[in-house]
Amino acid sequence: MSNEVIIRIEGLEKKYILGEENIVRALAGVDLVVTAGSYVAIMGPSGSGKSTMLNLLGCLDRPTAGRYFLGGEDVSTMPDDDLSKARGKRIGFIFQSYNLIPQLTVIENIQVPLFYQGESLAESYDRCVELANMVGLGDRLEHRPTQLSGGQQQRVAIARSLANDPLMILADEPTGNLDSKTGTEVLEMIDRLNEGGKTIVLVTHDEKVAKRAHRVLHMKDGLIDREVIQKTVPGGAGRQSNSGLREINQATKPSDGALAGSANQSAH
Amino acid sequence: MLTHNFISTVQLGIKNLLLHKLRSGLTILGIIFGVCSVISMLAIGEGASFEAQEAIKKLGSNNIILRSLKPPENQSESANANRSFEMSYGLSYDDGARLQATIPGIRRVLPMRIIRDNVRFGENVAACQVIGTLSFYPEIVTMDIVAGRFLTEIDEKHRNNVCVITLSLARKLFPYQNPLQHSIKIAAVYYQVVGIGRETNMPEQRTQAGEIEGETLDQFVYLPLSTARIRFGETIIRGQFPSLQFETVQLHQITVQMNDTDAVESADPQIKSLLDKFHSQNDFEMIVPLQLLRQAEQTKRIFNIVLGSIAAISLLVGGIGIMNIMLATVTERTREIGVRRALGAKKRDITMQFLVETIVLSVGGGVIGVIVGILVPFVVSHLAHMKTIVTFSSVFLAFGISGAIGIIFGIYPASTAAELDPIEALRHE
Ligand SMILES: Nc1ncnc2c1ncn2[C@@H]1O[C@H](COP(=O)(O)OP(=O)(O)O)[C@@H](O)[C@H]1O
Ligand SMILES: [Mg+2]
């Protein structure tokens, strides 16, 4: 079973027209193919187009030229509502500043993506509790983000990114706000997700973070300047699942193992 | 599925509003005042106009009331200010007869003489109005006979020295005795009391005949018209020597009872022109209760429009307050909006979320406003003894407007939120 193509972009361009003569080409015609199960890190100097790239990949924005196929479907010219749907169904976001909704509890935050998929809070509750258990926050369901440490908040964000069982996870500097110890914990969690088959695209400044990826894309002036293949994507790794997380849990919190073991998101 | 999520959205909205209790409370206050003022002002207005209309109806919507008026004094008269003079004015017996003879649709014509005087029984003295009138007076003025009888045609014919007195006068003059066994004395003449009555009518219709203090309003002595004419004469002497005024008035009031309200309308101008022929001076006035009633209704309509506008403005102000707060909330929660959009929320979902919050605010304010708006008139009636009527339509109107305000003033902030660029919103600090 050859690896399915998750991302295919062709001549992707994003121009910002700021004035008559002042046109910024944030992306200047990028081509890229990412297969299922890949772990891709994007690096590059500030202003090189990393965030623009990630926003386009995340369907938060539309390119000014070029095509973007997400899971085989052209999303480059989709109307706004369909883009929302694509984000809600296929993409999980992890942000540098966690971006949890402050007035919601841990469990409610994890439920948000499913709420917009039309699932009632009662319907999605059990599954989201499982996700909270997986990231080791099963005992903090009713806490608010302000009552959690940064590392804990980012773990809630990881659980939230998994709620809709996405095609891929996009992370913009996920450890940028964390100390190295908690940062490593979060990265290990992401590693496990990838080992479980999830496709990961991550933006980082940190070489050590990038080391964990299969491929590192170095961007410069809106183009992929250079690509380094560090490992090969395990061929025919099968479908992605969250099952990788179970392993970290079993390693760090054995008590959660039994619950996590019943996760229904492992292999379809 | 949709309804589930709608309920969750409402719950979320309430939760968000409760996070800022003071702010939400102050915002809602505008709507509470608006709704409350609509309901209570309309209730007070409704009550007042109801009372006015009842009062006018008591005058009899089939009646036309004519009253003698002292004509305004002209130059030559004031020049003779310190000389005695005699003036004759007002309605006459002939006027009554002419009306009866010429105006179609008249059922009866009731002439009245009204004189202020003191009435005595033994040691007791009371100020009263002496009313000389005919036997059918009680039917036109709606009066209950409490004891005895009213004046009869025989009394009129024989100019009997009999009288009927009102209940309040009877209480004053006869604290211990039965009035029906006694006579009262007015200006040296005794009149046998044959009946006690109580006017269920408003007494204002007679205020023109001399200035009446409030307490004597319902102290009347009714005499046969013919008796009153010979006993009191037609000339009243006023003022002090040497500037005595001799005023001759035959009738102080003529109440014309028409067959129906249509007849009232057609007779109104006819009576006016007939009387004008015989009254060169401006010495009578005409009161048409039916017209007053129409005017009262018109006044009420204007009153309602004015109140409605005031209330609408206060609700508008409340609505602007809500919009203002919601715009601030949208700015404050820009980041949250970006996150929700990234997690799959459509523009419509964001619009809904904020619109629901505005509607919860305004409808919540509406509910409290309705409750307070019903309580205020209740308290006013009890404390100020004013009649108030809370109409269903005013409650419905106020509540409907508050809901509409939620939608109208909520749409702009909500669509502002929905139109935010997700990327910009996520970057917002
Ligand atoms: N909304 C925008 N309007 C104008 N220029 C923009 C906008 N967003 C990004 N840019 C420009 O596009 C280029 C790439 O930006 P970005 O993708 O944020 O870079 P990076 O994330 O690598 O630092 C920069 O020159 C930036 O100034
Ligand atoms: Mg950036």
Side-chain angles (χ1 to χ4, degrees):
Chain A
M1 180 166 145
S2 69
N3 278 3
E4 182 188 351
V5 173
I6 300 284
I7 296 170
R8 176 189 298 281
I9 58 183
E10 297 166 357
L12 203 67
E13 184 194 84
K14 182 75 189 176
K15 268 195 290 201
Y16 291 105
I17 300 168
L18 303 175
E20 285 280 326
E21 294 295 308
N22 191 1
I23 297 172
V24 179
R25 287 184 95 196
L27 282 186
V30 176
D31 301 310
L32 178 70
V33 173
V34 175
T35 54
S38 303
Y39 187 164
V40 179
I42 302 175
M43 295 192 77
S46 182
S48 58
K50 306 183 295 293
S51 296
T52 306
M53 178 81 165
L54 209 66
N55 289 339
L56 284 171
L57 292 179
C59 299
L60 286 166
D61 208 352
R62 270 173 293 224
T64 44
R67 310 302 257 350
Y68 170 23
F69 297 90
L70 174 62
E73 195 178 359
D74 187 356
V75 295
S76 39
T77 55
M78 269 188 174
D80 197 81
D81 275 4
D82 293 346
L83 279 184
S84 295
K85 211 191 272 172
R87 291 195 292 269
K89 268 197 159 60
R90 304 186 190 168
I91 296 165
F93 286 97
I94 301 173
F95 303 93
Q96 176 173 355
S97 47
Y98 331 126
N99 277 341
L100 300 180
I101 297 173
Q103 63 268 35
L104 301 184
T105 61
V106 165
I107 183 71
E108 285 166 341
N109 264 292
I110 300 174
Q111 288 178 294
V112 170
L114 293 173
F115 179 77
Y116 290 116
Q117 299 290 304
E119 271 188 55
S120 75
L121 297 181
E123 284 169 324
S124 63
Y125 188 80
D126 289 344
R127 198 137 33 93
C128 292
V129 169
E130 241 164 59
L131 288 168
N133 284 329
M134 283 184 188
V135 296
L137 290 169
D139 53 347
R140 301 289 174 98
L141 295 182
E142 298 305 322
H143 286 222
R144 306 219 174 249
T146 47
Q147 298 167 318
L148 300 177
S149 70
Q152 286 171 323
Q153 289 189 53
Q154 196 60 301
R155 272 145 67 192
V156 177
I158 290 173
R160 181 178 68 182
S161 76
L162 293 170
N164 55 351
D165 192 15
L167 223 47
M168 65 171 169
I169 287 177
L170 301 180
D172 196 348
E173 301 264 8
T175 57
N177 286 7
L178 299 174
D179 61 62
S180 64
K181 186 174 163 286
T182 44
T184 307
E185 272 171 37
V186 164
L187 288 172
E188 275 171 4
M189 215 171 259
I190 292 173
D191 285 351
R192 298 292 167 273
L193 285 178
N194 179 247
E195 280 159 25
K198 266 299 178 246
T199 309
I200 313 277
V201 178
L202 174 147
V203 167
T204 184
H205 277 114
D206 191 337
E207 291 286 352
K208 273 183 271 168
V209 174
K211 281 252 162 54
R212 297 169 176 266
H214 302 138
R215 301 163 66 186
V216 183
L217 309 178
H218 290 271
M219 291 193 69
K220 198 180 164 194
D221 300 332
L223 287 169
I224 298 173
D225 184 45
R226 176 162 68 88
E227 178 174 350
V228 179
I229 311 267
Q230 306 186 126
K231 298 166 209 164
T232 50
V233 181
R239 288 301 311 258
Q240 2 148 22
S241 78
N242 296 334
S243 59
L245 263 185
R246 254 181 286 160
E247 293 156 40
I248 27 168
N249 260 327
Q250 275 156 358
T252 56
K253 282 196 94 189
S255 56
D256 286 338
L259 246 176
S262 63
N264 59 358
Q265 291 186 343
S266 50
H268 292 239
Chain B
M1 166 186 109
L2 252 177
T3 52
H4 263 301
N5 279 11
F6 182 72
I7 292 165
S8 305
T9 307
V10 173
Q11 284 170 343
L12 179 73
I14 293 171
K15 213 161 112 181
N16 278 326
L17 292 171
L18 289 180
L19 279 179
H20 304 281
K21 289 195 187 67
L22 180 64
R23 183 207 280 186
S24 303
L26 291 174
T27 309
I28 223 174
L29 222 50
I31 296 294
I32 295 177
F33 284 145
V35 168
C36 168
S37 65
V38 174
I39 295 176
S40 46
M41 286 206 280
L42 287 179
I44 291 167
E46 192 75 27
S49 90
F50 178 81
E51 286 196 322
Q53 293 191 16
E54 283 301 293
I56 294 165
K57 275 181 196 152
K58 275 188 182 163
L59 289 178
S61 49
N62 283 355
N63 293 347
I64 294 176
I65 296 164
L66 302 165
R67 283 181 193 157
S68 292
L69 273 188
K70 192 173 175 179
E73 292 181 32
N74 53 39
Q75 288 307 114
S76 63
E77 275 164 349
S78 48
N80 315 337
N82 54 1
R83 269 184 42 202
S84 306
F85 69 95
E86 195 193 322
M87 63 185 300
S88 171
Y89 66 88
L91 301 162
S92 65
Y93 291 93
D94 285 344
D95 288 332
R98 276 192 289 261
L99 287 172
Q100 183 93 63
T102 33
I103 307 294
I106 287 187
R107 182 180 292 162
R108 275 182 294 207
V109 174
L110 177 70
M112 290 156 77
R113 284 185 55 72
I114 302 163
I115 299 136
R116 282 214 60 186
D117 213 327
N118 287 335
V119 54
R120 287 164 199 279
F121 173 72
E123 295 288 291
N124 302 331
V125 186
C128 74
Q129 289 193 73
V130 179
I131 299 175
T133 190
L134 299 180
S135 59
F136 53 87
Y137 177 93
E139 296 154 46
I140 291 180
V141 181
T142 61
M143 171 190 221
D144 295 337
I145 302 300
V146 180
R149 61 170 175 87
F150 198 71
L151 306 168
T152 62
E153 283 173 35
I154 295 164
D155 294 328
E156 175 68 21
K157 197 168 166 192
H158 298 291
R159 297 171 189 163
N160 289 338
N161 283 348
V162 292
C163 69
V164 172
I165 59 176
T166 51
L167 194 58
S168 61
L169 189 59
R171 289 211 178 99
K172 202 151 192 180
L173 292 178
F174 301 94
Y176 310 113
Q177 301 87 343
N178 177 359
L180 295 182
Q181 292 158 3
H182 296 277
S183 294
I184 55 170
K185 185 178 159 196
I186 306 170
V189 182
Y190 286 93
Y191 302 89
Q192 167 74 40
V193 179
V194 296
I196 300 171
R198 182 174 48 206
E199 285 200 19
T200 49
N201 203 336
M202 300 293 288
E204 278 93 348
Q205 59 176 310
R206 258 179 253 94
T207 49
Q208 209 60 36
E211 290 77 36
I212 311 162
E213 299 94 50
E215 53 156 345
T216 60
L217 273 179
D218 55 350
Q219 298 188 3
F220 301 128
V221 176
Y222 305 95
L223 298 182
L225 184 62
S226 54
T227 311
R229 192 175 187 185
I230 55 161
R231 293 298 173 199
F232 291 89
E234 276 160 7
T235 304
I236 293 167
I237 304 167
R238 284 202 180 163
Q240 286 191 323
F241 188 80
S243 57
L244 292 178
Q245 294 178 8
F246 298 90
E247 288 183 17
T248 304
V249 178
Q250 287 189 351
L251 292 175
H252 295 92
Q253 181 172 324
I254 297 175
T255 300
V256 182
Q257 189 182 38
M258 307 299 298
N259 284 331
D260 50 41
T261 51
D262 287 345
V264 172
E265 285 187 82
S266 58
D268 174 3
Q270 293 174 7
I271 292 176
K272 180 97 180 115
S273 64
L274 176 69
L275 291 179
D276 278 345
K277 255 180 237 167
F278 296 92
H279 292 261
S280 51
Q281 303 167 291
N282 191 11
D283 63 352
F284 73 95
E285 67 170 346
M286 217 170 133
I287 297 160
V288 186
L290 187 68
Q291 257 177 20
L292 293 179
L293 196 64
R294 300 247 160 92
Q295 276 164 13
E297 279 163 4
Q298 177 68 14
T299 310
K300 181 190 154 192
R301 227 168 289 140
I302 293 169
F303 189 66
N304 280 352
I305 290 170
V306 172
L307 283 185
S309 321
I310 292 171
I313 289 168
S314 70
L315 279 172
L316 190 77
V317 171
I320 292 169
I322 287 192
M323 182 151 110
N324 196 13
I325 284 298
M326 288 313 292
L327 284 171
T329 304
V330 168
T331 309
E332 197 180 80
R333 284 159 63 188
T334 300
R335 189 71 166 267
E336 174 191 337
I337 294 163
V339 174
R340 288 181 181 275
R341 294 279 276 136
L343 299 183
K346 299 189 174 89
K347 285 183 177 174
R348 193 177 337 129
D349 297 318
I350 302 295
T351 308
M352 247 344 237
Q353 188 190 336
F354 284 92
L355 197 54
V356 159
E357 268 184 46
T358 322
I359 294 173
V360 165
L361 268 183
S362 62
V363 169
V367 169
I368 300 173
V370 164
I371 295 168
V372 180
I374 290 171
L375 285 179
V376 166
F378 182 78
V379 172
V380 166
S381 326
H382 272 255
L383 295 184
H385 300 287
M386 269 164 70
K387 190 172 181 65
T388 57
I389 301 169
V390 176
T391 60
F392 178 75
S393 61
S394 72
V395 173
F396 189 76
L397 182 84
F399 195 69
I401 290 177
S402 70
I405 276 183
I407 295 174
I408 293 166
F409 289 91
I411 279 181
Y412 178 68
S415 67
T416 308
E419 291 304 326
L420 286 174
D421 175 27
I423 299 169
E424 298 281 332
L426 277 169
R427 256 205 299 257
H428 188 90
E429 276 315 308

mmCIF file of all heavy atoms in Angstrom, chain A residues 45-52 96 172-173 203 205, chain B residues 427, ligand 2:
data_model
loop_
_atom_site.group_PDB
_atom_site.id
_atom_site.type_symbol
_atom_site.label_atom_id
_atom_site.label_comp_id
_atom_site.label_asym_id
_atom_site.label_seq_id
_atom_site.Cartn_x
_atom_site.Cartn_y
_atom_site.Cartn_z
ATOM 1 N N PRO A 45 14.113 32.022 7.840
ATOM 2 C CA PRO A 45 14.178 33.305 8.551
ATOM 3 C C PRO A 45 12.806 33.970 8.634
ATOM 4 O O PRO A 45 11.889 33.625 7.889
ATOM 5 C CB PRO A 45 15.141 34.137 7.702
ATOM 6 C CG PRO A 45 15.112 33.505 6.348
ATOM 7 C CD PRO A 45 14.836 32.056 6.559
ATOM 8 N N SER A 46 12.737 34.922 9.530
ATOM 9 C CA SER A 46 11.490 35.661 9.697
ATOM 10 C C SER A 46 11.128 36.369 8.393
ATOM 11 O O SER A 46 11.985 36.920 7.723
ATOM 12 C CB SER A 46 11.684 36.677 10.826
ATOM 13 O OG SER A 46 10.493 37.358 11.041
ATOM 14 N N GLY A 47 9.876 36.307 8.035
ATOM 15 C CA GLY A 47 9.405 36.958 6.811
ATOM 16 C C GLY A 47 9.592 36.113 5.566
ATOM 17 O O GLY A 47 9.310 36.553 4.459
ATOM 18 N N SER A 48 10.020 34.870 5.742
ATOM 19 C CA SER A 48 10.277 34.033 4.570
ATOM 20 C C SER A 48 9.000 33.372 4.043
ATOM 21 O O SER A 48 9.017 32.766 2.981
ATOM 22 C CB SER A 48 11.315 32.957 4.917
ATOM 23 O OG SER A 48 10.842 32.169 5.996
ATOM 24 N N GLY A 49 7.907 33.475 4.778
ATOM 25 C CA GLY A 49 6.634 32.950 4.268
ATOM 26 C C GLY A 49 6.141 31.706 4.971
ATOM 27 O O GLY A 49 5.203 31.063 4.513
ATOM 28 N N LYS A 50 6.734 31.364 6.111
ATOM 29 C CA LYS A 50 6.342 30.137 6.813
ATOM 30 C C LYS A 50 4.882 30.185 7.279
ATOM 31 O O LYS A 50 4.109 29.248 7.041
ATOM 32 C CB LYS A 50 7.255 29.907 8.041
ATOM 33 C CG LYS A 50 8.743 29.902 7.758
ATOM 34 C CD LYS A 50 9.554 29.613 8.988
ATOM 35 C CE LYS A 50 9.435 30.675 10.061
ATOM 36 N NZ LYS A 50 10.026 32.001 9.701
ATOM 37 N N SER A 51 4.527 31.296 7.946
ATOM 38 C CA SER A 51 3.160 31.397 8.467
ATOM 39 C C SER A 51 2.155 31.451 7.326
ATOM 40 O O SER A 51 1.084 30.834 7.400
ATOM 41 C CB SER A 51 3.013 32.646 9.339
ATOM 42 O OG SER A 51 3.845 32.525 10.460
ATOM 43 N N THR A 52 2.508 32.183 6.277
ATOM 44 C CA THR A 52 1.618 32.265 5.110
ATOM 45 C C THR A 52 1.361 30.866 4.565
ATOM 46 O O THR A 52 0.220 30.497 4.251
ATOM 47 C CB THR A 52 2.264 33.148 4.035
ATOM 48 O OG1 THR A 52 2.598 34.403 4.612
ATOM 49 C CG2 THR A 52 1.330 33.350 2.860
ATOM 50 N N GLN A 96 1.105 28.389 18.781
ATOM 51 C CA GLN A 96 2.183 28.720 19.711
ATOM 52 C C GLN A 96 1.611 29.171 21.056
ATOM 53 O O GLN A 96 2.098 28.780 22.110
ATOM 54 C CB GLN A 96 3.041 29.846 19.112
ATOM 55 C CG GLN A 96 4.128 30.307 20.060
ATOM 56 C CD GLN A 96 5.072 31.297 19.396
ATOM 57 O OE1 GLN A 96 4.962 31.574 18.205
ATOM 58 N NE2 GLN A 96 5.999 31.806 20.161
ATOM 59 N N ASP A 172 2.102 25.651 14.579
ATOM 60 C CA ASP A 172 2.950 26.831 14.364
ATOM 61 C C ASP A 172 3.726 27.111 15.645
ATOM 62 O O ASP A 172 3.153 27.596 16.615
ATOM 63 C CB ASP A 172 2.077 28.028 13.983
ATOM 64 C CG ASP A 172 2.902 29.159 13.374
ATOM 65 O OD1 ASP A 172 4.141 29.106 13.463
ATOM 66 O OD2 ASP A 172 2.291 30.090 12.811
ATOM 67 N N GLU A 173 5.029 26.778 15.644
ATOM 68 C CA GLU A 173 5.874 26.971 16.834
ATOM 69 C C GLU A 173 5.216 26.433 18.094
ATOM 70 O O GLU A 173 5.025 27.182 19.054
ATOM 71 C CB GLU A 173 6.158 28.472 17.031
ATOM 72 C CG GLU A 173 6.855 29.125 15.874
ATOM 73 C CD GLU A 173 8.367 29.194 16.069
ATOM 74 O OE1 GLU A 173 8.855 28.582 17.048
ATOM 75 O OE2 GLU A 173 9.031 29.811 15.238
ATOM 76 N N VAL A 203 5.897 24.341 12.005
ATOM 77 C CA VAL A 203 6.806 25.463 11.746
ATOM 78 C C VAL A 203 7.647 25.669 12.992
ATOM 79 O O VAL A 203 7.126 25.658 14.103
ATOM 80 C CB VAL A 203 6.023 26.754 11.429
ATOM 81 C CG1 VAL A 203 6.933 27.974 11.468
ATOM 82 C CG2 VAL A 203 5.336 26.646 10.074
ATOM 83 N N HIS A 205 11.624 27.409 14.650
ATOM 84 C CA HIS A 205 12.918 28.074 14.503
ATOM 85 C C HIS A 205 14.031 27.185 15.029
ATOM 86 O O HIS A 205 15.200 27.455 14.816
ATOM 87 C CB HIS A 205 12.941 29.363 15.345
ATOM 88 C CG HIS A 205 12.315 30.505 14.651
ATOM 89 N ND1 HIS A 205 11.160 31.111 15.089
ATOM 90 C CD2 HIS A 205 12.675 31.159 13.520
ATOM 91 C CE1 HIS A 205 10.835 32.078 14.262
ATOM 92 N NE2 HIS A 205 11.747 32.128 13.299
ATOM 93 N N ARG B 427 -4.202 36.512 15.185
ATOM 94 C CA ARG B 427 -3.010 37.273 15.541
ATOM 95 C C ARG B 427 -3.310 38.328 16.595
ATOM 96 O O ARG B 427 -2.404 38.851 17.219
ATOM 97 C CB ARG B 427 -2.468 37.975 14.284
ATOM 98 C CG ARG B 427 -1.236 37.314 13.713
ATOM 99 C CD ARG B 427 -0.417 38.310 12.933
ATOM 100 N NE ARG B 427 -1.171 38.850 11.813
ATOM 101 C CZ ARG B 427 -0.993 38.469 10.545
ATOM 102 N NH1 ARG B 427 -0.106 37.553 10.241
ATOM 103 N NH2 ARG B 427 -1.693 39.010 9.589
HETATM 104 MG MG MG C 2 5.467 33.625 11.276
#
